Amino acid sequence: MEFMEKLEIYQDIVNNFLEECIKEKDLMEKSIYNAMRYSLLAGGKRLRPVLSLAVCDMLGGDLKEVLPYACAVEMIHTYSLIHDDLPSMDNDDYRRGKLTNHKVFGEALAILAGDGLLNMAFELMLENTSSNCNNIENKVKAMGYIAKSSGVRGMIGGQVVDIESENNEVSVETLEYMHRLKTGALIKASVISAAIICNASNEDIQNLENYAEGIGLAFQIKDDILDVEGNIDKLGKNVGSDASNKKTTYVSIYGLEKSKQMLTEITESAIKSLDSFGGKAAFLKELAEYLVIREM
Amino acid sequence: MEFMEKLEIYQDIVNNFLEECIKEKDLMEKSIYNAMRYSLLAGGKRLRPVLSLAVCDMLGGDLKEVLPYACAVEMIHTYSLIHDDLPSMDNDDYRRGKLTNHKVFGEALAILAGDGLLNMAFELMLENTSSNCNNIENKVKAMGYIAKSSGVRGMIGGQVVDIESENNEVSVETLEYMHRLKTGALIKASVISAAIICNASNEDIQNLENYAEGIGLAFQIKDDILDVEGNIDKLGKNVGSDASNKKTTYVSIYGLEKSKQMLTEITESAIKSLDSFGGKAAFLKELAEYLVIREM
């Protein structure tokens, strides 16, 4: 099957599942469901859950087993975007070409919608870790991995370093530390949590860690490049904002050419990490290449 | 042992455990640990974790088994206070006689500290649900109960109804619905999650549910009474704020005398729910009475 066709199948599986997770409700508190749905169903690449499903397929696992955990990570990712966009954080009006959550629902409801999505991620995972499921121990381990990756030792910690670096030039070490926590940790959690649920060997997990760390870093470098030479219509947000905000990026440190070279090398190395999986790794390898050429 | 002595022992166990959970860290993101510690260790009654520990003792369970889940609920309670106090929500400057989190650390870090505490609650619980623990299935069930109670079907949903009721007179049905979700759900989760971990029978859980629902409602009625006739120094916050904010409360609907009568009746009924536990329920019964006479 063609890569793009397979990618869309995975994205459809994710979108359909997420749609079912938050139905419109005729309750007094229905506005929070609307606010959560608004951001959760606003599209996006669905990179994290797609990674989980692709790892599951590669390892011969059952997609139905992995899907709730994959979508929980997408909920966590979505809540972090809602909170990052708030006036006291990045103060962004647009995200993926649509008004940000607080511009539509107000700040109070946007904060609560973020809280609600983070909480719902754990509700969803725990509801799918019932006592009669066949691998409760792996699922608890996978949830623990996701929880650590999204907390102060992962994504939230990275966001703290990011906001405290604003208007300061930061070292390349700080930049890498920040991205490893802010973006890298949750991408890695998508890959590793699926591998844990599918009962992967330690060796397989090690190889998948190398892959996930590589594409996580490549993802960020590509983001920095797109902010310089991306197309505003395709991106759905302004370009050049890093430079005007005096943000330290891979491009501001290494320049455009060197950044592109790093992007290619890191991606090739990530792809090589999957060699031991043979032909079954084709989709994940193509996904890494796709992240290099993406325009949004 | 005297009730107050036992209460302080439980509070000390909780405070010591929470202190260990968030150590000061010499990391780039250390400010978030400071912000989380500030609110988590700001004192308070520790009602929710004390309830968990007391239920565990009554049922003959192991306090060490229940403690992480008890303290996770306190983290969830604390994060909800941080977010509720934000300028876009209740815009409060003081909490328990101390400046609120955002007044000390700024809005961005206060939002992230709240996110960090909610996330850490699940990290803590999941780390204590290891594959070699002796009742992993009960612990997953307890976590699921807590997660549902703190989400949009519980505490967050109640907060949404609360902020949307501002400046509107609401019916007694709306008031009860709001409090059952906003305050009641998490109080009940403290009681029931401990009972689940201690493998309580369905009958015991039913009786504990009646107890928890009663004290949850009584707790709110008492709060409304304290806002009218409380002592500002003991409360650590202003009194009369409900009236000046035109908030519908039990006192505004039923008047002070009728509210006090309801408080007494509901508490007596809650206490009666524990009769089947005999003398072992003494502490929980006295705790219900203590909540009636409390001055903060």
Side-chain angles (χ1 to χ4, degrees), chain A residues 40 55 69 78 123 143 173 189 191 193-194 216 256 260 294:
Chain A
L40 191 63
V55 166
Y69 306 85
T78 303
E123 291 173 69
M143 281 190 282
E173 288 77 24
V191 170
S193 61
L256 203 50
K260 287 181 180 175
R294 71 191 164 98

Side-chain angles (χ1 to χ4, degrees), chain A residues 229-275:
Chain A
E229 56 173 30
N231 178 310
I232 183 168
D233 291 330
K234 285 178 180 156
L235 279 173
K237 62 179 179 184
N238 286 332
V239 297
S241 63
D242 291 342
S244 60
N245 292 333
K246 290 183 182 147
K247 251 186 135 159
T248 307
T249 70
Y250 286 97
V251 177
S252 77
I253 290 180
Y254 295 107
L256 203 50
E257 283 320 301
K258 178 86 199 302
S259 295
K260 287 181 180 175
Q261 190 192 327
M262 285 169 67
L263 173 61
T264 308
E265 285 169 10
I266 291 164
T267 301
E268 277 171 12
S269 170
I271 288 171
K272 242 185 124 46
S273 311
L274 300 183
D275 279 351

Side-chain angles (χ1 to χ4, degrees), chain B:
Chain B
M1 198 186 295
E2 292 283 328
F3 168 75
M4 285 307 293
E5 204 180 326
K6 186 83 193 161
L7 177 62
E8 276 171 32
I9 289 173
Y10 284 140
Q11 287 168 334
D12 285 349
I13 292 172
V14 169
N15 288 330
N16 290 336
F17 189 88
L18 290 174
E19 167 76 37
E20 285 300 309
C21 285
I22 312 185
K23 288 287 190 192
E24 288 176 59
K25 295 251 162 87
D26 191 21
L27 297 167
M28 273 192 248
E29 64 277 20
K30 66 182 167 194
S31 54
I32 185 110
Y33 290 92
N34 293 337
M36 289 160 73
R37 281 175 65 84
Y38 177 81
S39 291
L40 191 63
L41 306 179
K45 295 175 285 292
R46 306 302 190 199
L47 169 63
R48 291 156 193 78
V50 166
L51 279 167
S52 301
L53 298 182
V55 166
C56 174
D57 265 345
M58 182 179 77
L59 296 171
D62 181 349
L63 284 188
K64 282 198 302 296
E65 291 281 302
V66 166
L67 188 55
Y69 305 85
C71 289
V73 172
E74 187 70 6
M75 288 180 180
I76 293 171
H77 172 60
T78 304
Y79 113 77
S80 78
L81 301 180
I82 296 174
H83 282 190
D84 282 7
D85 287 337
L86 287 167
S88 61
M89 304 261 210
D90 293 349
N91 195 21
D92 278 320
D93 292 353
Y94 288 93
R95 159 84 60 189
R96 294 170 185 160
K98 290 177 71 177
L99 283 170
T100 46
N101 200 288
H102 65 274
K103 294 301 277 184
V104 177
F105 298 96
E107 241 181 287
L109 211 54
I111 293 169
L112 290 168
D115 296 345
L117 282 168
L118 171 56
N119 198 95
M120 188 173 277
F122 288 100
E123 291 174 68
L124 175 60
M125 290 190 284
L126 287 162
E127 279 166 12
N128 282 279
T129 311
S130 66
S131 54
N132 52 14
C133 75
N134 46 18
N135 58 354
I136 188 168
E137 294 182 6
N138 282 343
K139 285 179 175 176
V140 167
K141 206 170 150 195
M143 282 190 282
Y145 197 99
I146 291 168
K148 184 176 172 185
S149 306
S150 58
V152 287
R153 293 174 290 179
M155 187 183 73
I156 295 173
Q159 173 67 358
V160 172
V161 177
D162 193 14
I163 59 173
E164 295 188 344
S165 305
E166 252 171 48
N167 302 316
N168 294 318
E169 259 194 53
V170 298
S171 66
V172 65
E173 288 75 25
T174 302
L175 187 72
E176 277 177 8
Y177 181 81
M178 187 259 282
H179 288 310
R180 196 168 66 240
L181 295 185
K182 184 175 172 172
T183 326
L186 205 58
I187 288 177
K188 193 165 147 185
S190 302
V191 169
I192 302 303
S193 61
I196 293 170
I197 293 170
C198 296
N199 216 7
S201 68
N202 287 342
E203 194 197 325
D204 283 355
I205 286 181
Q206 183 60 60
N207 288 327
L208 283 166
E209 271 178 3
N210 293 338
Y211 168 79
E213 285 172 11
I215 63 166
L217 180 54
F219 187 84
Q220 191 54 51
I221 296 173
K222 177 70 183 186
D223 253 13
D224 290 351
I225 293 170
L226 282 173
D227 192 70
V228 175
E229 56 173 31
N231 180 310
I232 183 169
D233 292 330
K234 285 178 179 154
L235 279 173
K237 64 179 178 186
N238 287 333
V239 295
S241 63
D242 290 342
S244 61
N245 292 333
K246 290 186 185 143
K247 251 186 137 159
T248 307
T249 70
Y250 287 96
V251 176
S252 77
I253 290 181
Y254 295 107
L256 202 51
E257 283 319 300
K258 178 86 199 300
S259 296
K260 286 181 180 176
Q261 190 193 328
M262 285 169 67
L263 173 61
T264 308
E265 285 169 10
I266 291 164
T267 301
E268 277 171 14
S269 168
I271 288 172
K272 242 185 124 45
S273 311
L274 300 183
D275 279 351
S276 63
F277 296 102
K280 287 180 183 163
F283 179 85
L284 286 169
K285 289 182 171 188
E286 286 182 82
L287 183 58
E289 283 166 4
Y290 169 76
L291 293 175
V292 173
I293 57 164
R294 72 191 165 95
E295 294 182 300
M296 59 170 266

